[in-house]
Amino acid sequence: MLARLVLRGAGCFAPPRRRYHRRMALQLFGIPVSRGMAIGRAVILASARLDVAHYFVDPGTEEAEIERLRAARRAVRAELDTLKADLPADAPAEMAAFIDVHKMLLDDRQMALDTITWIRQRRYNAEWALTAQLDVISRNFEEMDDTYLRERIADVEQVVERVLRALRGSAGLARSASGNGDLVLIAHDIAPADMLQFKTGVFRGFVTDVGGKTSHTAIVARSLDIPAVVGARSAGSLIRQDDLVIIDGDSGLLIVDPSPVILEDYRLRQQESQLARERLKRLKFTPARTLNAEPVELLANIEQPEDCAPALEAGAMGVGLFRTEFLFMNRGDHLPGEDEQYAAYSRVMQAMQGKPVTIRTIDIGSDKPLDAEDYRDGEFTHLNPALGLRAIRYSLSDPAMFRMQLRALLRAAVLGPLKVLIPMVAHASEIRQTLAELNKARAELDAKGVSYGPVELGAMIEVPGAALALPLFLRHFDFLSVGTNDLVQYTLAIDRADESVSNLYDPLHPAVLNLLAQIITQTRAAAAWKGRPVEVSVCGEMAGDPSMTRLLLGMGLRSFSMHPSQILAVKQEVLRADPDKLTPLVQTVLSSFEPEELQAALAALG
């Protein structure tokens, strides 16, 4: 565990303290990341970094302190190896993948060297050196624009806390924990590898102070179907050991010490929620068709080849977005070669059993460094990294690396229907260069006598300039995928990571809705002059939000790509929808600009 178990009071799972007066019910809010409701007594975990000792080691003892650090890292590596070896057969595929991510971070050469530097040059003790280096890395991650990648700092923090625990010789989350009644976990953060505790039934749900919808902890929570709320920043300080807590994973609400009336209401809602989820499972093999018999494509967003299993289990019709960034990150100078990339793409193609797979080329750059060292060298220091050298701009700045990825993708296309998705395209020159590099990659494979397959080429529409110049994209690309997360951010000029303005990040802003409707309408109309249909899908958060499904169907969207855990809930909305009736209602939404009018028009969609 990246946070050690610290119960406020005596030892682990101490008996409930006697209370002499009752405090009023307390409501807290966080980010809902996994549906369902949990009711139980709070078990409090405090961060291991809260009590880190800070002292200077004696001159001449630096190497002994470094060896102490290395011994702790070896202990953590053995712990992770044991965790992976002991994974039960029915554990989600994400578990093994995330343990591998933590092992990779633990073995990161640059992080190890930088931590040792703190010890040698400043004589910091090992714990202090680790937390100092973590602070440096955290500042770099805070500059990232992409939410998913920014939240990867949580993985680094979790690895650091494992090492801190090993340095202290203390235990993590007790796997043999037991107690009377249901328990819920309240923590600063929880490592995905330690979440098997939930599978054994000890904990019914969890709350963390930090995290977001795309954190690895959230992903595992969804795969295990555990009610969870993250990013509830004050939960750890306001909730007390053994408080009765209600976790509403649907709305992100936490209720502490609820009244008997509220408690009974939530017990009934908990039963209803469980029945609803059981009913959703019956839809797995039901074709996704609207009431007027129009087929709708429901695809999965994945991050690693291991994610294919839960995607198929949820009934995904294919992969709508495979992010390739994590093949490249935290590798230092040892970036994945063509064969390593080919192996990863091949695993996805084979796992999806002939279903279509869309793989996005590396979406990384100034705001998403391949390694934290990039920042310290100043190579990617920009005033506004979100608008800098990233995504396709980064790939085109390094043609050799880009062609290597394209060659690996072309080779994997032999194994099934493969689509290649280009991120953040905005200019005609970028389109021409991308097509030229793809042709060069084919020529290089021909010269080596290496076989490859056909690919469809698509563009991500996430920049307003691309949306407004859509005819250019429709002429050159086989399909389009709308990244609504960035489209909203760039359209409204809102940094969704900046808490001071995050309340203005609004997918239902009239400008966003009209731009999205325009993209879908123009793409569907392109079939008339291209002689064949051009597919358009949405792969951002809007696609996986069931409350948005009817709106998007009314706009004409027929392809949705989302996290596998959201597929059945969206399918249920599809099965209940009649696009013929929704279309005129959506037109009313698109013509509404005042907030009151817009809300009334959205409510009419049902």
Side-chain angles (χ1 to χ4, degrees):
M1 182 70 206
L2 296 174
R4 81 181 166 134
L5 190 56
V6 180
L7 301 187
R8 297 174 186 176
C12 294
F13 292 91
R17 66 181 181 275
R18 184 173 299 172
R19 293 182 180 156
Y20 296 96
H21 60 273
R22 177 185 176 84
R23 65 172 174 174
M24 295 181 63
L26 176 68
Q27 290 190 0
L28 304 173
F29 292 90
I31 302 169
V33 295
S34 186
R35 297 177 297 121
M37 298 176 193
I39 302 172
R41 295 288 175 180
V43 174
I44 310 296
L45 280 81
S47 171
R49 285 180 285 155
L50 293 179
D51 56 355
V52 166
H54 294 73
Y55 59 87
F56 295 100
V57 299
D58 294 333
T61 65
E62 295 91 347
E63 294 307 313
E65 191 69 7
I66 290 170
E67 178 53 34
R68 180 169 163 260
L69 173 64
R70 287 171 175 159
R73 292 176 66 243
R74 289 194 294 270
V76 171
R77 189 180 298 108
E79 178 186 2
L80 292 173
D81 287 339
T82 300
L83 279 171
K84 186 172 181 180
D86 291 345
L87 285 176
D90 60 344
E94 289 94 342
M95 286 289 192
F98 293 152
I99 290 174
D100 286 339
V101 169
H102 282 198
K103 289 171 64 177
M104 179 183 70
L105 291 171
L106 179 69
D107 294 333
D108 183 76
R109 181 173 177 272
Q110 193 61 53
M111 182 174 176
L113 290 175
D114 290 342
T115 305
I116 290 172
T117 298
W118 289 107
I119 299 174
R120 282 190 175 137
Q121 294 186 0
R122 301 202 182 177
R123 302 205 333 269
Y124 284 3
N125 67 301
E127 291 89 343
W128 189 0
L130 262 177
T131 54
Q133 186 57 29
L134 177 60
D135 287 341
V136 172
I137 296 173
S138 296
R139 287 195 296 271
N140 292 336
F141 271 81
E142 287 170 1
E143 297 296 323
M144 297 183 183
D145 174 65
D146 186 277
T147 303
Y148 185 89
L149 291 170
R150 187 172 58 251
E151 288 174 354
R152 299 289 69 78
I153 186 58
D155 296 295
V156 182
E157 291 173 340
Q158 289 163 359
V159 170
V160 167
E161 293 207 15
R162 278 193 186 278
V163 179
L164 289 173
R165 187 188 69 236
L167 284 166
R168 231 183 356 253
S170 60
L173 177 60
R175 295 191 175 276
S176 60
S178 62
N180 295 323
D182 295 333
L183 303 175
V184 297
L185 195 60
I186 314 297
H188 177 71
D189 198 7
I190 304 171
D194 290 302
M195 291 175 65
L196 283 178
Q197 188 70 44
F198 295 94
K199 202 167 178 61
T200 65
V202 174
F203 295 110
R204 302 302 182 192
F206 72 84
V207 180
T208 62
D209 294 330
V210 298
K213 286 191 173 183
T214 55
S215 65
H216 282 167
T217 299
I219 292 169
V220 173
R222 287 191 288 266
S223 70
L224 289 173
D225 205 17
I226 305 164
V229 173
V230 302
R233 295 184 178 277
S234 55
S237 59
L238 293 177
I239 300 176
R240 302 175 301 193
Q241 175 64 28
D242 203 52
D243 275 341
L244 184 61
V245 178
I246 296 172
I247 300 175
D248 187 338
D250 297 328
S251 66
L253 172 66
L254 313 174
I255 304 176
V256 186
D257 281 340
S259 68
V261 173
I262 293 176
L263 182 60
E264 182 60 26
D265 177 57
Y266 267 89
R267 290 198 189 281
L268 290 173
R269 292 171 63 177
Q270 188 180 37
Q271 294 173 7
E272 293 170 355
S273 175
Q274 182 60 36
L275 288 172
R277 282 189 286 172
E278 289 300 321
R279 285 195 295 268
L280 278 180
K281 293 179 181 178
R282 302 173 189 171
L283 300 179
K284 175 182 175 180
F285 298 107
T286 302
R289 293 181 179 274
T290 61
L291 289 176
N292 64 345
E294 283 194 67
V296 175
E297 188 176 44
L298 301 181
L299 306 168
N301 293 345
I302 67 171
E303 287 78 41
Q304 303 184 61
E306 291 78 9
D307 296 337
C308 293
L312 291 171
E313 181 61 28
M317 302 166 68
V319 170
L321 174 63
F322 173 34
R323 302 178 177 95
T324 61
E325 293 81 68
F326 293 98
L327 295 174
F328 291 80
M329 295 185 71
N330 298 304
R331 299 287 296 262
D333 296 329
H334 305 288
L335 297 182
E338 180 180 330
D339 288 340
E340 182 180 343
Q341 291 186 58
Y342 167 71
Y345 306 148
S346 296
R347 286 169 60 197
V348 174
M349 300 300 294
Q350 292 166 341
M352 291 309 295
Q353 304 169 11
K355 292 180 169 61
V357 173
T358 300
I359 301 180
R360 186 175 68 185
T361 59
I362 184 172
D363 186 3
I364 209 162
S366 62
D367 66 327
K368 294 175 271 186
L370 294 178
D371 189 86
E373 184 67 18
D374 294 339
Y375 273 104
R376 289 189 291 277
D377 288 344
E379 184 179 351
F380 298 125
T381 301
H382 302 284
L383 292 176
N384 194 336
L387 305 180
L389 188 65
R390 54 167 296 199
I392 188 58
R393 302 170 185 177
Y394 184 90
S395 293
L396 292 175
S397 73
D398 190 346
M401 184 190 76
F402 187 36
R403 287 200 304 278
M404 182 186 297
Q405 182 171 35
L406 292 175
R407 290 195 301 271
L409 289 166
L410 288 166
R411 290 169 58 190
V414 173
L415 302 172
L418 174 61
K419 301 178 180 181
V420 176
L421 183 60
I422 308 299
M424 206 179 173
V425 190
H427 298 273
S429 59
E430 292 170 338
I431 297 174
R432 287 195 297 270
Q433 291 177 67
T434 297
L435 293 172
E437 294 301 328
L438 183 59
N439 287 332
K440 289 179 183 177
R442 291 191 180 104
E444 289 169 350
L445 291 174
D446 285 333
K448 296 178 181 178
V450 177
S451 61
Y452 59 90
V455 297
E456 292 186 34
L457 190 65
M460 283 199 76
I461 305 299
E462 47 195 335
V463 178
L468 295 171
L470 208 64
L472 170 68
F473 291 78
L474 292 171
R475 279 198 292 270
H476 293 285
F477 290 101
D478 301 306
F479 69 98
L480 303 178
S481 183
V482 185
T484 51
N485 299 353
D486 272 338
L487 185 65
V488 174
Q489 175 171 252
Y490 290 132
T491 300
L492 301 182
I494 297 297
D495 182 355
R496 61 182 184 270
D498 186 342
E499 292 182 358
S500 63
V501 295
S502 60
N503 63 302
L504 299 176
Y505 180 87
D506 183 11
L508 294 175
H509 189 286
V512 174
L513 294 181
N514 277 276
L515 201 57
L516 184 55
Q518 179 180 324
I519 295 168
I520 295 170
T521 300
Q522 286 192 41
T523 305
R524 287 169 63 92
W529 55 269
K530 286 202 74 165
R532 61 176 179 80
V534 180
E535 295 181 10
V536 58
S537 66
V538 168
C539 64
E541 286 294 322
M542 291 179 72
D545 186 343
S547 68
M548 301 275 194
T549 304
R550 296 167 68 85
L551 174 64
L552 295 173
L553 286 171
M555 289 181 180
L557 186 70
R558 297 295 181 267
S559 181
F560 299 68
S561 189
M562 68 207 76
H563 188 278
S565 66
Q566 298 160 314
I567 288 176
L568 293 178
V570 171
K571 181 185 282 190
Q572 179 173 256
E573 292 300 316
V574 169
L575 296 172
R576 295 172 174 175
D578 185 345
D580 292 337
K581 295 180 179 178
L582 291 175
T583 299
L585 295 175
V586 168
Q587 292 307 311
T588 303
V589 170
L590 297 176
S591 62
S592 301
F593 289 87
E594 293 292 339
E596 296 81 7
E597 295 175 348
L598 180 59
Q599 289 303 316
L602 289 169
L605 283 171

